Amino acid sequence: MSVVIVGGNDCMVRRYKDLCKQYQCQAKVFTQMKDGLKNKIGCPDLLVLFTSTMSHKMVRCALNETKGQNMIVARSHSSSMSALRSILEEHAG
């Protein structure tokens, strides 16, 4: 299963990827709005949005890029490891 995480903390990127690996998921993590974000998201099975640590523009960009694709979108206000773990338990566990 492929997972794209948008938002979150820069210092947690490695931990997010390691946790996804425990659930046999490949993860891409985008913590900041950078050029070409639209082209880098791709077509994941699960899109995780950590809404408290991202701008409204970044949310719109991520949702517009994935519009019309068959994927699960999970939103979480918290960007903690336990929040990601509960999302992965629900959708990849």
Side-chain angles (χ1 to χ4, degrees):
M1 177 178 225
S2 61
V3 177
V4 172
I5 300 171
V6 182
N9 299 313
D10 290 332
C11 61
M12 297 284 284
V13 171
R14 177 82 272 159
R15 294 180 69 194
Y16 293 149
K17 288 183 179 183
D18 290 343
L19 182 61
C20 288
K21 190 177 275 192
Q22 290 177 9
Y23 286 88
Q24 287 80 40
C25 298
Q26 291 183 326
K28 289 183 190 175
V29 181
F30 302 101
T31 57
Q32 297 179 2
M33 183 77 171
K34 295 183 179 175
D35 292 338
L37 177 64
K38 291 181 183 180
N39 303 328
K40 294 179 182 176
I41 290 178
C43 186
D45 299 315
L46 173 63
L47 176 66
V48 178
L49 301 175
F50 288 138
T51 57
S52 67
T53 56
M54 59 193 296
S55 66
H56 293 286
K57 182 179 178 182
M58 199 168 176
V59 173
R60 284 193 311 271
C61 177
L63 291 177
N64 285 339
E65 182 60 29
T66 58
K67 189 183 295 183
Q69 296 179 9
N70 187 20
M71 74 177 63
I72 301 165
V73 178
R75 295 178 188 225
S76 174
H77 188 69
S78 171
S79 58
S80 65
M81 290 297 288
S82 62
L84 179 58
R85 186 175 291 113
S86 65
I87 291 170
L88 290 174
E89 278 289 327
E90 182 179 344
H91 299 291

